[in-house]
Amino acid sequence: MNRRAKFLQSIFVLATLTTLASAQPNESPRGRKGSVYTIDQAISDNAQLHTIAFSGLAFITGDFGASTFIPPGKVCDYFGFQYLRDIDQDQAGHNPKFLSRLAGNVLKTLDAKQLDAFHQLALEQEPQYIELAKMRLPLIRAFCDNLQAKYPSGSRGLNKEAVREYVGNIFAKDGEMSLRRAEVFGKVALSLTADQKSFFSKVKFGDFSTWPDVDEREEMRKLGPAKSKMESVAFMTYASEFYSWYAGSIDADTYFCPERHGTYFGGFYMKDMPAMGKRDFNISLSRTSDSGKDFLNTLTPEQKGTVTKVIESQKSLLKETVELRRKISTEMRKYLSNSRPNRDEVIKMCRRYGEADGEMSWMYATAFAEVNRTLTKEQRARLVEIRNLDGYKSAPYYIYSDAVKQGDTSIKGDQFFFAPTK
C-alpha cells in the first residue's frame, strides 16, 4: 500500500469513529428505521444535558492535552455529511464500510480534472486547517487554568465577553474555509457530465445499500503519494462531503449533532482514544448517555444543579445557532446554481455563530470549574472510574487527532480571557 493509501485508510477509520461518537443519550440508534434524528432532537434538553455532563466528566478528569483532541470532521461542517450518515435506513452509517464505499464511489466517478480540484484545494487549505486548530489552544489553556482557579491578579474568573469574541474569530475563520470549499464543490458539480449525474441520481441519499461495493483502496492507489497527512485528511473530506452536499438539502446542511458545540473539554478524547488506529471498532452508542448520567449521579444535588441550570440558560443561543446555520447553508448553496453568496454576510453570520458557541462554552467552563472546587476525594476517585481510561496518557496537545509529542510551553491562556468584567 503506498503512502497516500495508508494516510487515507487511517482517515476512513477516524471519520467512522467520529460519527460513532456522536450518538446521543436515550434515543434509538441513528439510522434506525422509523427513528430519524433531527435538529429538534439535537437541541433537546435530554441530548444537551448528557452531552454537557459527558464533557464535564472528561474535563474534570482530563488535562490540557486531552481537551485539545478533536476529529477533523467537527469543523467546516455545513455540507450535510453528518446527516447522510445518521439517517441511513440500514444503519450502515456507523460502520467503517459506509465511508469506505461512499468515498470509493466518488473517487471512481469523478474524472482526473475534478479530483485535481479537490487536491489543489487540499494543498491550499492544509495550512489553514492547522491554523484553525492552533487557534483553539490558548482558549483551551484558559479553560484549564480556570478549572484550577489559576486567575491573574484582579480577576475572578473567565470573562464572558472575551471568550465570546475569541470563539467568534475561530468560527469566522471556519466560515472562510467553508465558503472556499463550497465554491470548489459548486464548480465540480456544475462540471458533472450526463453520465456522472446519472450515476449520482441512481444511488440513494440515505440508503447505503444502493451504492456499488467499490474498494476505496484501489481508487486511492491511483492518486499517488501525498506530502502530508493533513493534505490527505482534507482531500478525503472533500471527496466524501461532495456527494452529501450535491445530493443533499438545506435541512441536511443545517443539521448538527449535539457535540458540534463546546468542543474544548476533551469529550472526543475520552470517547475515541480506545478506538484510535483500529479499523473495526464500535464505540458504544450509549457511552455519552451512560457516562453523563454516572457523572451527574456522583454529584450532590447542589453540584448537579450547577450543571443542569445551563440547559435553560443556553436555549435561546441554541435556537439562534439553528437559524444561523440555515442562513449560512442557504448562502453557500448558491454556488450550486452558478451564483455567488454574499461573502461578507456569510462571514458575519459565522462570526455570530461562534460568539454563540463561545458564550455557551463559557457557561460550561464556568459550571465545570464551580463543581470542581467542591468535589470530595471520594467523588474524584469515582469520576476517574467512570472515565475508564486506565493506561492512556494524552500527548502534550493535538492538532485535531494528531499528537504533538514535543509540547509547546508557549501555549498559554492569554490574560484577556480573565479580564475583569466591566
Side-chain angles (χ1 to χ4, degrees):
M1 184 181 294
N2 65 28
R3 186 154 56 95
R4 178 184 283 275
K6 290 180 180 178
F7 280 148
L8 302 188
Q9 186 177 71
S10 68
I11 295 161
F12 286 134
V13 176
L14 177 59
T16 298
L17 298 178
T18 300
T19 303
L20 282 168
S22 300
Q24 294 305 313
N26 292 342
E27 300 286 347
S28 301
R30 284 190 172 119
R32 188 179 297 274
K33 294 180 181 179
S35 176
V36 177
Y37 273 49
T38 65
I39 281 291
D40 288 340
Q41 185 278 328
I43 64 175
S44 69
D45 290 354
N46 188 63
Q48 288 293 315
L49 175 60
H50 290 94
T51 300
I52 293 168
F54 187 78
S55 293
L57 170 65
F59 195 49
I60 289 171
T61 61
D63 57 20
F64 171 73
S67 297
T68 65
F69 182 102
I70 182 174
K74 293 303 177 184
V75 300
C76 303
D77 68 332
Y78 303 102
F79 301 94
F81 185 68
Q82 183 72 52
Y83 184 75
L84 173 66
R85 302 192 72 161
D86 288 354
I87 66 163
D88 187 71
Q89 68 178 32
D90 291 326
Q91 303 178 56
H94 302 288
N95 189 296
K97 64 184 179 182
F98 182 89
L99 180 59
S100 173
R101 187 178 296 184
L102 172 62
N105 274 279
V106 172
L107 292 173
K108 187 173 183 178
T109 302
L110 298 184
D111 63 30
K113 184 176 181 180
Q114 292 162 339
L115 290 175
D116 187 61
F118 291 166
H119 183 227
Q120 294 305 315
L121 181 63
L123 293 174
E124 173 189 326
Q125 291 201 327
E126 176 184 3
Q128 297 169 16
Y129 267 110
I130 295 172
E131 178 186 355
L132 187 62
K134 288 185 175 181
M135 287 178 72
R136 294 163 40 87
L137 302 181
L139 175 69
I140 295 171
R141 177 64 77 186
F143 283 174
C144 290
D145 287 347
N146 184 68
L147 184 71
Q148 303 299 329
K150 296 179 180 178
Y151 310 141
S153 177
S155 174
R156 299 178 62 184
L158 290 167
N159 182 297
K160 179 170 67 175
E161 297 300 325
V163 172
R164 182 165 59 189
E165 177 185 348
Y166 191 85
V167 181
N169 292 335
I170 293 176
F171 274 63
K173 178 67 176 178
D174 181 294
E176 292 175 359
M177 295 176 63
S178 298
L179 266 173
R180 178 67 176 130
R181 184 185 302 183
E183 181 180 11
V184 173
F185 281 6
K187 289 179 179 179
V188 171
L190 292 170
S191 74
L192 293 175
T193 65
D195 287 342
Q196 289 172 326
K197 292 178 180 178
S198 176
F199 172 78
F200 286 133
S201 68
K202 290 177 182 176
V203 293
K204 296 181 180 179
F205 189 99
D207 187 356
F208 168 81
S209 66
T210 66
W211 286 82
D213 188 5
V214 174
D215 187 342
E216 90 287 346
R217 293 167 296 183
E218 185 62 33
E219 299 305 316
M220 289 189 289
R221 291 188 186 100
K222 301 175 184 177
L223 300 175
K227 294 180 180 179
S228 69
K229 185 174 182 179
M230 185 54 64
E231 176 194 329
S232 290
V233 168
F235 181 87
M236 287 309 302
T237 298
Y238 307 148
S240 60
E241 288 189 349
F242 172 74
Y243 171 78
S244 63
W245 196 57
Y246 171 74
S249 64
I250 293 295
D251 287 342
D253 299 346
T254 303
Y255 175 85
F256 59 83
C257 69
E259 291 172 327
R260 172 61 176 99
H261 305 117
T263 61
Y264 317 103
F265 303 102
F268 288 118
Y269 178 93
M270 190 167 71
K271 187 179 293 186
D272 289 0
M273 284 312 293
M276 289 297 292
K278 301 170 185 175
R279 186 174 177 85
D280 186 14
F281 187 100
N282 289 326
I283 297 173
S284 171
L285 295 179
S286 64
R287 173 71 158 125
T288 296
S289 175
D290 293 345
S291 296
K293 288 178 183 176
D294 288 344
F295 172 72
L296 294 172
N297 289 337
T298 304
L299 306 182
T300 66
E302 184 177 2
Q303 291 167 336
K304 183 176 179 180
T306 299
V307 178
T308 58
K309 70 182 181 182
V310 172
I311 302 303
E312 188 64 33
S313 300
Q314 70 170 10
K315 279 190 174 181
S316 62
L317 293 169
L318 279 174
K319 181 179 179 182
E320 184 180 6
T321 63
V322 175
E323 295 169 352
L324 286 167
R325 284 184 65 91
R326 181 169 292 276
K327 291 177 181 178
I328 292 167
S329 299
T330 298
E331 283 294 311
M332 289 190 183
R333 278 192 163 266
K334 289 181 179 179
Y335 279 122
L336 283 171
S337 59
N338 203 23
S339 59
R340 300 189 68 82
N342 185 327
R343 185 184 184 280
D344 291 342
E345 185 63 23
V346 170
I347 300 304
K348 180 180 178 181
M349 289 189 291
C350 289
R351 185 179 298 279
R352 176 54 201 150
Y353 182 11
E355 290 172 351
D357 179 78
E359 186 167 345
M360 289 186 286
S361 298
W362 173 86
M363 292 179 188
Y364 307 160
T366 301
F368 300 158
E370 184 175 340
V371 169
N372 189 55
R373 286 195 296 269
T374 61
L375 289 173
T376 66
K377 181 179 180 180
E378 291 74 20
Q379 285 177 312
R380 292 187 188 280
R382 173 58 183 148
L383 295 183
V384 171
E385 289 179 6
I386 299 170
R387 181 179 180 83
N388 193 28
L389 280 183
D390 288 347
Y392 289 90
K393 180 177 175 55
S394 68
Y397 66 95
Y398 294 84
I399 296 299
Y400 300 107
S401 60
D402 281 349
V404 178
K405 298 181 179 180
Q406 298 298 321
D408 185 347
T409 57
S410 68
I411 300 172
K412 301 183 183 301
D414 196 299
Q415 297 231 344
F416 87 92
F417 287 119
F418 295 98
T421 302
K422 296 179 181 179

